[in-house]
């Protein structure tokens, strides 16, 4: 055996890193295997808890209300599972809210001061404005996207693009923003746009968000950005400046503070599409939390086999580019993500869990069997109902054990968390990172309790 | 037309159309490029993009979706594909582990054949050296001078000379790699000393020859394969059961060759061999007995070829072994996506790019306040040492083998 440990976590996204950190903080020896980056790194970095209850078209002002509604309406939802103290009893909404709340508070505490530091409250959804000038409800956003006082009726908001950065067209964002009015009727009446000149290569073309963000982490980049924004603020009289998420990677928060000092305006980041810098900051800060808890992260390691004896999983085989290892572990958390990360695969044979071939069900707990992924998509590509395909995954019990068709755990020491679970459609609900956080938090704690129980 | 004739006709037109068929092992690489979903995650991590921007080096996503999709006109990508340092960072973060370093090798191999004029001049010079000597560096003209240089290095490092030996049927082949054979001879000597200290039954090659990695990176696939085959023959003749090396590039390349061509002999980096085969307990005893060097606060550089091409576990081994040494305190530099810039042969033709890549590592290294940096690879050691020196830093850079050898007892 190459490694012996208390807990192996398979997957290095939000769910896996949170589960691993919680277990390591509880004193477990944790090894986390990460094949690559998944949806967490792809995300906008804004953490959705619950934006829409299934079937509703109006967004939720208050996620707590959403969690209450879910636990009544959707018994198989992962959030609802948090509300059950044991199998077969109805979900207690108060318990759901308090457990989600603990995980949110934990994450805010742990990431505080880091490049992924978060603002926001479980009691209120935020309308985060995107690069398109549109907005979406979300619960926690990075400090660099947050405004202590949102722009008011008299504010002038400046959408500032960067010359040579094709991802953002500030003048069309202004149009969408004015039509959409994410800050409500009280929001600013005046929005203007401009193009900044900030280039790490010195050339006004062919730039990527990441290289600008990395440039701004250096003094030269920061002062170039400050000068450029400062000039536009003088010209337009703007008191709010909305920029793409390029305020830095490691130093983003500090950079923002300095920019605001130098320009006199409030400078904040819009949410962006993959590959976004805030997604990178989120991933990096979660990894830092895990390392700080003394977790051992084996990047570039893909779990290839989990061997089970009786009702226990025991040995995990993993493959690095040119080595293979075997790990004996007291417990395992499977947080391998959905289709993008490879936790689930779908092909002509149906949808499968890729590592252990665990049973797959849809949001109503119906086994998908050999249904092809196409059968699980609707005819309208973009509809409020979304596609059932995104609700498929592992069936699980209230301890977050993956379960067999008869509801019994696959193994006493196997837990699962995050988007590999069935029962929620993150894309339409706007609940992706929130479910990964809350279930990772629960699965990590359950695995820790299990390990301590047998030791 | 018989099948045989048809095959010949088609092969002939392939050549006319300048299409070079993929070898079986390359097919896997091509399939890996096909998995790319164009998500761009890799762009956030590529150290070359970070250093010079997407305008100069269009980055891994572009390699996967554009530069690898241009048969037969791969040559059109020549200004870009030679700037990849082959660090493997993109492959490690990619959700589908798209195998960028090998895709780059595959493209470079085709440029090498179709348009040798577009192969950067610096690389052509290395190719000539390899063709002439089967080594990546020009060997010493005068063997006495080589010995003198070796002795001077041994003296500077404070290490005794262990006699060279070639023994058929030995357990372990110690393979120093070209850099430690011709230039950083103290690394080769340190490794011999360590193996000898622990009573390992080891042998050297009768005549050193390159593992084929530089040729592979240049695109000279034929030479790369023939060097690998030659080395394999030597290994078989010696009848060793294991290969141990001190070079990160040799570790990953030989591991790859050994599996690809069924050598049946596992390859270890020295630090893996120490951690896994000698064991931390024996190492700890030896260090306690040996501890004659003074206090050092050291940071570590993790070579791409070890952590991203071989296994991240090796970097854990490095820390575990260093932690056993009395008077040595390890401070991690915390550099994300570190790369010395020396890989992929980039330094041979675009030194500015290689240096811009390593520059990112220097700040965090200095910020650790360490007075030493160790790297388990003589190439990384040289690249970082030169760049630290140029910034006026007084951090001493040591190859890990030398650092360890210096902390073992000299007399038994
Ligand atoms: C493009 C995109 C944008 C999104 N934007 C948002 C957003 O803005 N806000 C929001 O709240 N949600 C968003 N979501 C949803 C949200 O990101 C995901 O639901 C959430 O990140 C899932 O986290 P996870 O940890 O379960 O999975 P992932 O983050 O996907 O992590 C899975 C991990 O498992 C690893 N893995 C898989 N198989 C193996 C194996 N065999 N061995 C080792 N490792 C393995 C993967 O490499 C990866 O590290 C978005 C999703 C996508 C796809
Ligand atoms: S190589 Fe991988 S990370 Fe890069 S764009 Fe393609 S799929 Fe995404
Ligand atoms: S191997 Fe390294 S240098 Fe080459 S494209 Fe990938 S990340 Fe960039």
């Amino acid at each position: 055996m190459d490694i012996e440990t208390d807990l192996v976590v398979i997957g290095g996204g939000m769910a896996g890193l949170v589960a691993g950190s919680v277990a390591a903080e509880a004193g477990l020896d944790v090894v986390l295997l990460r094949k690559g980056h998944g949806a967490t790194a792809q995300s906008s970095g804004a953490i959705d808890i619950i934006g829409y209850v299934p079937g509703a078209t109006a967004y939720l002002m208050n996620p707590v209300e959403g969690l209450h509604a879910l636990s009544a309406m959707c018994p198989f939802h992962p959030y609802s599972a948090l509300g059950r103290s044991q199998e077969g009893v109805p979900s207690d909404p108060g318990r759901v809210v308090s457990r989600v709340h603990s995980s949110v508070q934990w994450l805010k505490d742990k990431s505080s001061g880091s490049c992924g530091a978060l603002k926001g409250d479980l009691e209120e959804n935020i309308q985060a404005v995107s690069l398109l000038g549109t907005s979406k409800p979300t619960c926690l956003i990075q400090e660099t996207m947050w405004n202590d006082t949102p722009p008011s009726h008299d504010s002038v908001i400046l959408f500032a693009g960067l010359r040579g950065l094709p991802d953002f067209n500030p003048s069309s964002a202004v149009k969408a923003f004015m039509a959409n009015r994410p800050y409500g009727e009280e929001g600013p009446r005046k929005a203007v746009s401009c193009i900044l000149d900030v280039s790490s290569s010195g050339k006004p073309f062919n730039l990527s968000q990441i290289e600008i963000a990395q440039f701004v982490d250096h003094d030269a980049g920061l002062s170039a950005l400050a000068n450029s924004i400062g000039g536009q603020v003088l010209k337009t009289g703007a008191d709010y400046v909305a920029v793409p998420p390029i305020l830095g990677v490691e130093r983003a928060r500090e950079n923002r503070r300095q920019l605001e000092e130098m320009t006199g305006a409030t400078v904040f980041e819009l949410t962006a599409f993959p590959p976004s810098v805030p997604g990178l900051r989120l991933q990096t800060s979660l990894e830092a939390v895990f390392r700080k808890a003394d977790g051992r992260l084996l990047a570039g390691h893909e779990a290839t086999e989990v061997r089970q004896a009786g009702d226990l999983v025991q040995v995990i085989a993993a493959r690095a580019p040119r080595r293979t290892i075997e790990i004996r572990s007291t417990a395992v958390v499977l947080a391998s993500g959905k289709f993008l990360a490879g936790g689930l695969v779908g092909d002509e044979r149906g949808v499968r869990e890729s590592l252990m071939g665990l049973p797959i069900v849809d949001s109503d707990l119906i086994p998908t069997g050999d249904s092809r992924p196409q059968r699980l998509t609707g005819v309208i590509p973009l509809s409020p109902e979304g596609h059932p395909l995104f609700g498929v995954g592992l069936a699980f019990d209230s301890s977050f054990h993956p379960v067999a068709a008869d509801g019994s755990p696959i193994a006493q020491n196997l837990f699962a968390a995050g988007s590999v679970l069935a029962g929620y459609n993150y894309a339409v609900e706007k609940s992706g990172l929130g479910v990964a956080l809350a279930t990772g938090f629960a699965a990590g704690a359950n695995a820790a309790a299990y390990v301590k129980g047998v030791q | 037309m018989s099948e045989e004739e048809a095959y010949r006709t088609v092969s002939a037109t392939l050549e006319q159309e300048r299409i070079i068929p993929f070898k079986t092992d390359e097919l896997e690489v091509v399939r890996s490029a096909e998995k790319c979903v164009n998500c761009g995650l890799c762009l956030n991590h590529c150290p070359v993009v970070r250093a010079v921007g997407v305008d100069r080096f269009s980055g891994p996503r572009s390699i996967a979706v554009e530069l690898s999709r241009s048969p037969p006109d791969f040559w059109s990508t020549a200004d870009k594909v030679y700037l990849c340092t082959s660090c493997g960072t993109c492959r490690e973060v990619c959700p589908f582990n798209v195998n960028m370093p090998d895709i780059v090798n595959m493209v470079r191999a085709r440029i090498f054949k179709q348009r040798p004029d577009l192969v950067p001049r610096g690389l052509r010079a290395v190719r000539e050296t390899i063709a002439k000597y089967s080594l990546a560096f020009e060997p010493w003209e005068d063997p006495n001078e080589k010995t003198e240089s070796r002795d001077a290095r041994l003296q500077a490092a404070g290490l005794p000379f262990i006699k060279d030996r070639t023994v058929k049927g030995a357990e372990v082949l110690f393979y120093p790699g070209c850099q430690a054979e011709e230039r950083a001879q103290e690394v080769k000597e340190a490794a011999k000393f360590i193996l000898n200290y622990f009573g390992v039954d080891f042998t050297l090659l009768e005549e050193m020859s390159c593992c084929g990695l530089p040729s592979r990176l240049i695109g000279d696939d034929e030479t790369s394969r023939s060097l690998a085959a030659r080395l394999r023959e030597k290994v078989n003749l010696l009848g060793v059961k294991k290969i141990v090396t001190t070079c990160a590039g040799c570790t990953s390349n030989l591991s790859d060759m050994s599996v690809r061509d069924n050598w049946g002999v596992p390859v270890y980096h020295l630090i893996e061999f120490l951690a896994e085969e000698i064991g931390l307990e024996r190492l700890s005893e030896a260090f306690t007995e040996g501890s004659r060097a003074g206090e050092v606060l050291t940071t570590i550089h993790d070579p791409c070829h070890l952590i991203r091409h071989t296994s991240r576990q090796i970097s854990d081994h490095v820390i575990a072994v260093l932690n056993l040494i009395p008077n040595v305190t390890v401070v991690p530099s915390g550099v994300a996506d570190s790369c010395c810039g020396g890989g992929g042969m980039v330094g041979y033709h675009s030194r500015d790019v290689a240096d811009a890549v390593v520059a990112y590592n220097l700040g965090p290294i200095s910020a650790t306040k360490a007075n030493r940096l160790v790297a388990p690879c003589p190439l990384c050691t040289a690249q970082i040492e030169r760049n630290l020196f140029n910034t006026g830093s007084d951090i001493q850079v040591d190859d890990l083998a030398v650092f360890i050898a210096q902390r073992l007892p000299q007399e038994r």
Side-chain angles (χ1 to χ4, degrees), chain A residues 290-371:
Chain A
F290 179 67
R291 287 211 174 88
K292 199 165 167 211
D294 274 338
R296 181 166 170 200
L297 175 68
L298 283 180
H301 279 68
E302 175 177 4
T304 50
E305 197 191 341
V306 176
R307 292 206 277 279
Q308 185 167 357
D311 66 351
L312 293 178
V313 289
Q314 289 182 328
V315 173
I316 301 93
R319 180 173 60 207
R322 310 229 196 283
R323 297 284 181 268
T324 51
I325 53 170
E326 295 206 335
I327 311 175
R328 184 181 297 280
S329 182
T330 314
V332 173
V333 172
L334 184 65
S336 49
K338 265 204 162 61
F339 302 102
L340 180 88
L344 302 184
V345 283
D347 58 22
E348 66 286 356
R349 286 171 293 165
V351 177
R352 281 162 294 126
E353 185 281 312
S354 57
L355 190 54
M356 304 175 67
L358 299 174
I360 296 293
V361 297
D362 67 12
S363 287
D364 299 318
L365 279 193
I366 315 278
T368 55
D370 53 8
S371 293

Side-chain angles (χ1 to χ4, degrees), chain B residues 66-284:
Chain B
E66 293 157 352
L67 309 191
S68 58
R69 311 281 172 113
S70 52
D73 296 314
F74 286 114
W75 60 269
S76 61
T77 69
D79 58 335
K80 300 279 185 279
V81 288
Y82 291 102
L83 294 180
C84 163
T85 65
S86 191
C87 70
T89 307
C90 51
R91 179 176 63 192
E92 190 179 77
V93 298
C94 170
F96 306 97
N97 303 118
V98 170
N99 189 352
M100 216 61 69
D102 281 337
I103 293 172
V104 165
N105 291 341
M106 181 274 287
V107 173
R108 287 184 187 176
R110 278 159 184 75
I111 298 177
F112 184 87
K113 282 216 150 162
Q114 297 165 336
R115 291 290 305 272
D117 56 312
L118 292 179
V119 177
R121 201 178 312 146
L123 299 190
R124 279 182 268 157
V126 183
R127 184 194 122 74
E128 274 161 34
T129 308
I130 297 175
K132 212 155 147 194
Y133 306 108
S134 297
L135 287 172
F137 301 103
E138 209 164 308
W140 294 77
E141 231 166 73
D142 179 354
N144 291 331
E145 275 179 29
K146 180 175 176 182
T147 310
E148 272 167 32
S149 163
R150 179 197 72 199
D151 291 343
R153 283 166 184 266
L154 276 176
Q155 202 182 1
L159 292 175
F161 172 63
I162 305 295
K163 252 177 72 171
D164 285 348
R165 53 176 126 154
T166 320
V167 199
K168 263 196 176 173
E171 171 87 6
V172 164
L173 166 68
F174 170 61
Y175 180 81
C178 300
Q179 174 93 3
E181 175 67 29
E182 293 301 328
R183 303 215 164 160
Q185 291 191 74
E186 72 281 13
V187 177
K188 172 182 172 186
E189 296 307 322
K192 280 163 55 193
F193 173 74
I194 295 170
L195 293 173
N196 189 61
Y197 177 86
F198 288 107
V200 177
D201 172 22
F202 78 93
T203 176
L204 300 170
L205 290 177
E206 186 82 56
E207 192 192 8
M208 177 59 200
S209 61
C210 178
C211 74
L213 178 61
S215 303
R216 198 175 177 192
L217 294 168
I218 292 168
D220 186 357
D221 191 44
E222 246 161 63
T223 305
S224 164
R225 282 173 199 265
S226 84
L227 284 170
R230 169 142 26 131
L231 187 53
R232 176 192 182 171
E233 210 168 290
K234 293 179 184 175
V235 168
N236 285 350
L237 270 176
L238 281 169
V240 294
K241 298 196 182 56
K242 292 169 185 152
I243 301 173
V244 173
T245 174
T246 38
C247 172
C250 297
T251 307
S252 84
N253 189 53
L254 289 176
S255 301
D256 192 21
M257 297 299 102
S258 170
V259 172
R260 186 188 78 184
D261 304 338
N262 300 312
W263 291 22
V265 183
V267 180
Y268 298 75
H269 187 275
L270 178 68
I271 196 70
E272 283 180 289
F273 186 78
L274 291 179
E276 292 170 13
E277 302 293 311
I278 304 293
L280 297 185
E281 216 164 295
R282 270 180 83 193
L283 285 167
S284 176

Side-chain angles (χ1 to χ4, degrees), chain A residues 3 35-37 41-42 203 205-206 210-211 214 250 275-276 280 296 298-299 301 320-323 325 340, chain B residues 39-40 44-45 50 53-55 92-93 95-97 252 255-256 267 272 308-313 316 360:
Chain A
I3 300 179
K35 169 168 75 95
H37 282 174
Q42 292 280 11
K203 294 174 193 160
F205 49 81
N206 223 357
I210 184 68
E211 71 193 78
Q214 282 159 344
E250 282 144 33
S276 81
L280 171 67
R296 181 166 170 200
L298 283 180
H301 279 68
R322 310 229 196 283
R323 297 284 181 268
I325 53 170
L340 180 88
Chain B
C39 69
N44 281 350
H45 296 267
R50 174 171 64 200
V54 287
D55 188 53
E92 190 179 77
V93 298
F96 306 97
N97 303 118
S252 84
S255 301
D256 192 21
V267 180
E272 283 180 289
R308 297 196 202 89
H309 286 252
T310 308
S311 162
R312 283 266 174 187
Q313 241 206 304
D316 293 349
Y360 180 80

